[in-house]
Amino acid sequence: MVPPSPSSLPPINPRVPPSPPAAPPPLPPSDPRGVLKTHKTGAGSVGFNVLHRFGEGRGLRFALPHHYQFRKIPRNLQGRKGEGLQRGGGPIRHHLPPHEVRRVMPPDSFYFSIARDPAAAAESALSYYRSSVPAFRRAPSRSAFLLTPWLYYQPGLKGNHYARNLLWFDFGLPSISPSNMAAVAAAVRGLDAIFALVLLAEYFDESLVLLADALCWPLGAVVTFPHNGRPKGSVLRLGRGDMERLRQWNALDWALYVHFNRSFWARVRRFGLARMEREVTRLRGLREQWAQRCLQGGGPLPAAAILDRNLKPFQPGQGAAAVMGYELRADLGARDRETCERMATPELQYKDRLHRRQFGPNATNG
């Protein structure tokens, strides 16, 4: 099987974007929010850490799954538009298709998400899900899959959605041929009607600045330590040919990324390039200050070096790349420790933390 070619897609040029639709007005900080947590895009740092900290610090309630993931809208929320979410303005962070979430969120909710170049996202997915996805397991090596992914991929096999057009899947879009450009364009336009903002993993700090601006938050509210990172030596360097091949293999994701890239840089231009540069510098300075204040060693550590089990990140399993995490300095005062712990807590443990706060320490958590 030869992968389809997205050659008709326009090249990315962040400095010359087409005229985008007018941006929605910023929302007051109390309005409900929903974030679509896409896989392998850095969404964990934005989708769970920033929102969880913001909500927890203000006593908001979250829509939480019984275990660690919503596989469908819970019965107690079905047919009840925003009940339990409107009271207190609670956020929802989810892996569910947008049309399902909109059924239970208030109609004026602010939705945002994050996208990543599908070539880089594919390499990350392969490293993280190496032992659990059939298409990845069939390949004798990471390099073999990246060279000829179609040799190991079987459509419809459980788990194989991680191996091709994962971003398209995350956005809940229909299964269509990448060659049907009219259908692809219609699907992408439909997302514009839902999402007020789509961030880019490659421009993470610029994305956080835009998010703070859109939500009328102070810049300090979006300072975050990157989560779920890998040791540098475990990231497979992709050549130009690898990048193009993976973009072709993930042609639907590439169409999404090209679109979101254009709208992102159009928004940056409206924000102001010089202003953006200043805010990014300020954001990075704040992050570095908190890293030195909070973290042992001032940055991420291998999981084996993290003694606090509440801060030790989940490891994806045999054959997968290790995930880095954070250990707090031992000399922190009580107030700093609380803030630093929120910033350093991994996704699964933060969900447990919120669950205990909302339902009590003895409540069942899956």
Side-chain angles (χ1 to χ4, degrees):
M1 174 183 173
V2 178
S5 171
S7 58
S8 57
L9 295 176
I12 293 176
N13 187 345
R15 298 299 180 186
V16 192
S19 299
L27 297 174
S30 60
D31 278 6
R33 299 157 203 92
V35 54
L36 173 65
K37 187 178 178 295
T38 50
H39 290 88
K40 314 316 299 172
T41 60
S45 300
V46 180
F48 86 84
N49 193 267
V50 170
L51 273 189
H52 283 181
R53 282 165 34 211
F54 183 85
E56 184 185 18
R58 287 154 182 79
L60 303 181
R61 293 181 63 82
F62 287 78
L64 298 172
H66 182 59
H67 192 44
Y68 290 109
Q69 193 173 83
F70 283 129
R71 299 189 185 279
K72 61 181 180 179
I73 293 293
R75 286 187 178 182
N76 66 323
L77 290 179
Q78 289 179 9
R80 298 161 65 180
K81 192 78 171 180
E83 187 171 343
L85 301 178
Q86 288 176 314
R87 294 193 297 272
I92 183 169
R93 173 203 47 88
H94 59 92
H95 271 309
L96 291 169
H99 68 274
E100 291 195 32
V101 176
R102 294 176 76 197
R103 288 167 42 210
V104 300
M105 288 289 284
D108 59 346
S109 296
F110 176 93
Y111 296 98
F112 69 97
S113 191
I114 184 168
R116 184 182 185 185
D117 187 315
E123 187 279 329
S124 180
L126 174 57
S127 298
Y128 191 85
Y129 300 115
R130 182 80 170 92
S131 62
S132 57
V133 173
F136 298 157
R137 290 201 307 263
R138 290 183 62 191
S141 66
R142 286 195 297 170
S143 298
F145 182 86
L146 295 175
L147 183 64
T148 53
W150 50 90
L151 293 181
Y152 312 105
Y153 177 80
Q154 180 180 340
L157 199 61
K158 184 178 180 180
N160 267 357
H161 63 281
Y162 288 104
R164 191 177 194 188
N165 291 315
L166 181 55
L167 190 66
W168 191 269
F169 173 87
D170 281 339
F171 275 99
L173 296 174
S175 178
I176 57 179
S177 170
S179 62
N180 187 346
M181 297 305 294
V184 172
V188 172
R189 283 196 304 271
L191 296 179
D192 285 338
I194 300 172
F195 290 91
L197 177 64
V198 176
L199 315 176
L200 294 183
E202 288 78 10
Y203 299 94
F204 190 71
D205 291 336
E206 291 85 350
S207 294
L208 291 174
V209 169
L210 290 182
L211 181 64
D213 181 66
L215 293 174
C216 302
W217 288 358
L219 193 63
V222 297
V223 175
T224 182
F225 302 143
H227 285 262
N228 296 326
R230 291 178 283 160
K232 288 184 178 179
S234 71
V235 179
L236 195 63
R237 295 189 64 178
L238 301 176
R240 182 178 294 273
D242 298 321
M243 297 284 285
E244 292 304 318
R245 191 181 309 109
L246 288 172
R247 288 168 178 170
Q248 290 176 4
W249 175 244
N250 297 281
L252 294 173
D253 282 5
W254 179 240
L256 283 176
Y257 186 78
V258 167
H259 177 80
F260 292 143
N261 182 281
R262 287 173 168 170
S263 63
F264 178 89
W265 285 104
R267 191 160 188 146
V268 170
R269 289 169 67 90
R270 291 196 300 272
F271 184 85
L273 294 174
R275 180 187 173 198
M276 175 60 74
E277 187 174 350
R278 291 193 301 269
E279 291 296 277
V280 165
T281 299
R282 190 158 72 94
L283 177 66
R284 290 173 178 168
L286 290 171
R287 181 188 296 122
E288 180 60 25
Q289 289 175 25
W290 278 109
Q292 295 303 319
R293 189 172 181 175
C294 294
L295 304 178
Q296 183 177 305
L301 297 172
I306 301 171
L307 302 181
D308 187 342
R309 65 185 182 88
N310 291 320
L311 299 180
K312 192 183 289 285
F314 172 79
Q315 300 301 307
Q318 185 177 4
V323 175
M324 307 278 280
Y326 301 100
E327 181 83 350
L328 300 186
R329 288 174 46 172
D331 58 350
L332 292 172
R335 184 172 181 179
D336 276 353
R337 176 165 290 277
E338 175 69 17
T339 300
C340 295
E341 190 175 85
R342 287 178 177 177
M343 296 179 73
T345 298
E347 179 175 6
L348 300 185
Q349 289 95 319
Y350 213 134
K351 186 268 177 185
D352 291 341
R353 175 189 177 110
L354 293 174
H355 194 277
R356 290 191 297 269
R357 181 177 66 82
Q358 290 186 193
F359 304 109
N362 299 320
T364 302
N365 188 24

